[in-house]
Amino acid sequence: SEKEQPAATTLHGVVLEVPVIDMSDPEEEKVVERIAEASRGWGIFQVVNHGIPDEVIRELQRVGKEFFELPQAEKEAVAKDPAGGSIEGYGTSLQKDVDGKRGWVDHLFHRIWPPSAVNYKFWPKNPSSYREANEEYAKKLLEVGDRLFRSLSIGLGLEAHELKEGAGGEDIIHLLKINYYPPCPRPDLALGVVAHTDMSAITILVPNEVQGLQVFKDEHWYDVKYIPNALIIHIGDQIEILSNGKYKSVYHRTTVDKE
């Protein structure tokens, strides 16, 4: 609708510089304070020196991109099973959401942790290094997630372990979602993903160099400025609820591109 079209609703010429937190800062208290502050006021922040090597992230992005560049029939080999009711698998663009809106996006969704929850049926066999790249990334990702949970917990005045336990402890499911936005002839009229908050506890977003993420703040939509090699952290609905609303889940959307 007109009131949601990015050309009409984006505050142009202003890029939102969301908080950037250096996780290698030796003063742990400072890191905790910054994470808690960003989660209260913004619901989104970027972390640098997070411990995931650049080459692990590059490899994750490479195999994901290669999967989406395969012929449609090969992608359909890991398609979602509508009858099975599972969220896992490949889904194509222009599926209507509950309000009848369509996002200009293809996606691949599957569990990556814990091993007991993983179903390799939904992991692409091509490219051949897809599984290795994802498992390597998952290992490193667990450490980042644990550290975020600890900081968020201490930031609420709780013991370091309490928030993670409240969210499911060692049984927490880690899902990987790759969003692929095909070139769009009218990016001024379309959105990749319509405005929403994430239903997760925490979303750890690996962006690429193409601008797309927008955040709603102070009654306006802003482009988010990416920092190279940073991870973008979204507070999700579950953390907002677990913190009794002290931390805010971020309202965001994705724009698309002609190229």
Side-chain angles (χ1 to χ4, degrees):
S1 68
E2 270 180 38
K3 66 178 192 294
E4 294 173 289
Q5 288 169 11
T9 56
T10 301
L11 200 60
H12 295 283
V14 185
V15 176
L16 203 60
E17 301 205 14
V18 304
V20 178
I21 298 163
D22 183 350
M23 291 184 84
S24 67
D25 191 322
E27 292 187 55
E28 188 64 29
E29 280 177 21
K30 263 193 193 163
V31 176
V32 167
E33 198 178 301
R34 286 179 187 141
I35 287 174
E37 199 177 299
S39 303
R40 285 190 168 93
W42 290 75
I44 184 174
F45 51 95
Q46 300 194 57
V47 295
V48 293
N49 299 318
H50 40 69
I52 304 183
D54 294 349
E55 60 272 18
V56 171
I57 287 177
R58 275 199 302 271
E59 190 61 7
L60 177 85
Q61 290 177 311
R62 182 187 70 78
V63 296
K65 190 164 182 286
E66 279 185 21
F67 168 75
F68 280 101
E69 288 168 353
L70 292 172
Q72 191 64 21
E74 278 200 63
K75 291 185 283 197
E76 295 287 350
V78 290
K80 287 185 174 182
D81 173 13
S86 169
I87 59 166
E88 293 188 274
Y90 165 74
T92 185
S93 61
L94 304 184
Q95 291 171 322
K96 289 187 176 180
D97 78 352
V98 283
D99 300 324
K101 297 170 193 163
R102 291 164 176 254
W104 194 274
V105 64
D106 290 0
H107 61 265
L108 177 66
F109 221 159
H110 60 71
R111 296 182 173 93
I112 56 168
W113 193 264
S116 59
V118 170
N119 184 349
Y120 290 113
K121 180 174 107 171
F122 295 110
W123 291 45
K125 308 261 184 304
N126 187 7
S128 57
S129 50
Y130 183 90
R131 176 170 169 175
E132 187 187 346
N134 276 265
E135 289 181 339
E136 194 54 39
Y137 176 72
K139 270 190 283 192
K140 304 285 184 193
L141 182 74
L142 294 174
E143 294 164 25
V144 177
D146 281 351
R147 191 151 175 218
L148 291 169
F149 266 121
R150 284 199 300 276
S151 298
L152 290 165
S153 197
I154 295 165
L156 290 170
L158 300 170
E159 296 290 327
H161 62 89
E162 288 189 84
L163 198 62
K164 182 176 174 181
E165 274 179 23
E170 294 311 311
D171 295 328
I172 288 176
I173 302 275
H174 292 65
L175 283 157
L176 180 92
K177 186 182 187 194
I178 307 177
N179 284 331
Y180 176 82
Y181 304 96
C184 178
R186 290 298 304 271
D188 53 324
L189 302 180
L191 286 166
V193 179
V194 297
H196 66 290
T197 57
D198 291 342
M199 62 174 77
S200 57
I202 301 170
T203 297
I204 299 176
L205 181 69
V206 177
N208 68 2
E209 69 288 347
V210 183
Q211 177 66 49
L213 179 65
Q214 293 193 332
V215 162
F216 193 69
K217 185 148 175 70
D218 307 325
E219 301 305 308
H220 292 287
W221 285 104
Y222 296 89
D223 289 321
V224 173
K225 183 182 177 186
Y226 296 156
I227 309 291
N229 303 321
L231 299 172
I232 300 178
I233 313 299
H234 294 179
I235 297 300
D237 296 341
Q238 294 182 50
I239 291 290
E240 178 167 325
I241 293 162
L242 280 165
S243 69
N244 286 336
K246 287 191 170 77
Y247 296 144
K248 302 284 182 275
S249 66
V250 63
Y251 193 52
H252 60 287
R253 68 184 187 185
T254 314
T255 59
V256 286
D257 193 275
K258 257 189 172 155
E259 310 303 323

